[in-house]
Amino acid sequence: MRSKVKRILSVLIALAMVLTVGAGIQPSDVFADGEIALTVQKEGKTVKTFTMEELEAIAVSEGDEGVKKTYNYTAWNVNPSFSEYSGIQGPTVEEILTKAGVAEYLKDTGTVTFKSVDKYVGTLTGKQLREDRYFYPHGDLVTPATGYIPVDAYEKAEKVPAVISLSGEKTLYVGQVAPNEQNNPIFVKFMAQGGVIDVSTKEAERCSQVKVDKASGTLQQPGTEITISAPEDISWDYDKIYFTFESDKSPNYGCPIYNCGPKQDIVYKPVCEEGNCTLKIRVKGYGKQDSVLQTFTYYAGDALTVKVNGVTKKSYATGDDVAATGKTANNVSYSGFNNYPTRSEKTDRTGITVASIIEDATGLVPGSTLPDDAIITFTTGVDGYTTKLTAGQIFEDRYYYPKGAAGTDSTGGAVKAAAYEGKKKVPAILETGNKHSLIFGQTEPNEQNFTECVHEMLMLGQIDIDTESSPEKCEAVTSATPADGSTIVIGQKIELPFPSKKNKRDKICYLIDPEEGVLPGLAGGFYNYSPKRDSEKLSNKPVFNTVGKHTLKVRTVGYGKKSSDVTTFTYNVVPAKVTGFKASSSGYNALTLRWSRTTGATGYEIYRKSGSSYKLLKTITSGSTTSYKVSGLKTGTTYYYKIRAVANDEQGQKVRGSEVSASGKPIPASPSLSLKTGKRKATVKWSRVSGASGYQILRSTRQSSGFKVVKTIKKGSTRSYVNRSLKKGKTYYYKVRAYKTVSGKKVYGSYSTVKKVKIK
């Protein structure tokens, strides 16, 4: 009886130890044999308990009976201060979960919660528990408040698992992913003295995002500190804000910690240095998924710097400094094309004129002391995008064309008169709002000027003026396909070589039959209207739409360069070659010539072979005529013909296209056929064929094969035949053709349509 009571008391004590979790009861250092030292739960329900003896057994190294594994741990706490723990022995958390049968149950986004009897709770996600963690013997070289980790801190690192010690305060120990990780808050004490491990597949919450005091995309002075604030629901004690400016990194353990010691209000603020600063922030917390990555971009330095021949003349710290010294253009509209090309408008823009900025910074006056061939380079500090223009190009008369869409061709064709209506002269400006863009008007309504509109010029932008160098000359077009002097057909496209890659933004401009003294330029056609796409499919090839002698003038133009020399190509344009030319029989003594209508043709010339040469047979005076009948021909004789399109040039001279051949011979026409059934017979009737000497009747029991001659009619006037002794109920197929006897030989015509009859 006493033994039974003792066992009952032992169970009650063990249950009491489990119930003390979170109740604030300090555990005993000594557990009696058989008492529950640790409980493993799944979704809050107990799945297995462990006694101290069972935990001791798990902690023994495999293959080394009685030998326990020993681990060392380093840690930073939230103060921050560094600690090192040596000679830790005990089972790993992974081994405990495996013995309990829940190891595979834990997923990366699930959680494992460690509950101590003194109410302390620590939680890790499955990913945090299982990621590689280390003991860093030189981790004390790190000072979290500086955000700097010396390379030496990583030396002699040892990989360690998460362990529950079986001596001392029976603590949960976890290693560090990086030497500055503040892992001490997850060191839960008294775990092997009645603690609970609860595994859950419920997806861990995600850490909250933060706010910054400087708006992304703004200009800052070098050395500016960025202050980070967190939402009220963030745990400043344990959730850490990691950040980095390095483009190839994502904020993680090992990166600087913003709130490294929140209890002492220790923060390490990101500092925006000279140039582009891309600040990346992520919040990490134990038992939580990382926050969504946040990215903030800043530009540290002067808003705009103006240089002459490489020497800085003036820098403007802010856009307001630029506005204070320049001439403002208010509510100005601009028109333009981009690379595709797609025409668009930028309406009601406000900015500082480029001319006034240059004059203020350098004293150079466009159109006066600033040479037209000076090269001006505009560069944005945001992404380094650059465009070059000569002073003459950017400060020449430029316009807003409100009717440009009505008078320009999307394929880069020449400008129509309607495009010039209502034009307004506009200056080149740097916008003080919107995207702080360099923007300027068009000299012609189809100019693709928007490709050179550099954005973010008041974000570390530079204007570099080169008065010492001479602008290079654009690459000239020296060849074409077909070659200069070729004879080509009307509508045939001329191919020109694209500029070399270094001149990819240069335009090949052309004019067809320009007036004397008129040179190809932006008002003409563009060959490579979309140069960045550099594709034959996106080229606007010159086409001649009339016959005669034509001239093609070509010149390459480019921003920041001198235009190339003009190259002239001449072509003899003739009507296109006739297509679909055929000679078909139209009876025993005639042929009908047929062809397709030919582009550009005002008529056709038809020739027939006579002996060894061809002689003109007929001149057709209409380009829409597509047939001609030739009569009085000999049955069975093959005749040969040629045809070519003709058209008149601007001087009224006849221009002829290439010849096309066809041949044919007159044969008797195909008769019409009808059948009538009778008792074991079929009556075959056909239409009379002009010029026929007789007819040939063929029969088969199949529709498309097996035909044999059943009767040859020797009179052209005969129009019927009775085929007797046929099988009742059987179906027969018939066809008939006429023939004409010429010089003792039969010349057969085409067969009639096959007809069938079922015998009664």
Side-chain angles (χ1 to χ4, degrees), residues 306-308 311-314 316 355-366 369-370 463 465:
V306 182
K307 298 180 179 180
V308 176
V311 178
T312 298
K313 294 298 181 180
K314 188 169 185 178
Y316 301 91
S356 64
I357 294 172
I358 290 176
E359 185 175 353
D360 175 76
T362 69
L364 296 172
V365 180
T369 55
L370 178 63
I463 299 177
I465 304 169

Side-chain angles (χ1 to χ4, degrees), residues 219 303-304 316-326 328 352 432 436 458:
L219 183 72
L304 181 69
Y316 301 91
T318 66
D320 290 337
D321 294 335
V322 178
T325 56
T328 304
I352 312 303
T432 51
H436 305 295
L458 299 184

Side-chain angles (χ1 to χ4, degrees), residues 662-675:
S663 63
K665 62 181 178 180
I667 58 175
S670 174
S672 299
L673 176 64
S674 64
L675 300 174

Side-chain angles (χ1 to χ4, degrees), residues 48-111:
K48 187 172 179 61
T49 59
F50 294 91
T51 64
M52 184 62 71
E53 291 81 359
E54 289 172 327
L55 294 176
E56 291 276 0
I58 297 172
V60 175
S61 300
E62 292 183 9
D64 297 317
E65 186 174 353
V67 178
K68 295 180 181 179
K69 301 174 187 177
T70 301
Y71 307 98
N72 299 320
Y73 294 88
T74 46
W76 282 92
N77 66 12
V78 295
N79 293 315
S81 61
F82 180 78
S83 299
E84 188 171 327
Y85 305 87
S86 302
I88 305 301
Q89 294 180 331
T92 68
V93 174
E94 192 73 24
E95 290 171 330
I96 293 171
L97 297 182
T98 299
K99 291 289 185 181
V102 296
E104 297 302 319
Y105 179 72
L106 179 60
K107 307 301 179 184
D108 279 358
T109 57
T111 58

Side-chain angles (χ1 to χ4, degrees), residues 51 65 71 105 153 266 303 426 482 497 517 524 572 651 703 746:
T51 64
E65 186 174 353
Y71 307 98
Y105 179 72
I266 299 174
V426 293
N572 179 37
Q651 288 73 41
Q703 185 175 7
K746 292 184 177 70

Side-chain angles (χ1 to χ4, degrees), residues 212-214 224-228 258 269-272 279 298:
V212 296
D213 66 335
K214 302 292 189 296
T224 298
E225 291 184 337
I226 309 299
T227 299
I228 301 174
Y258 180 83
K269 295 183 179 181
V271 177
C272 195
L279 173 64
Y298 303 100

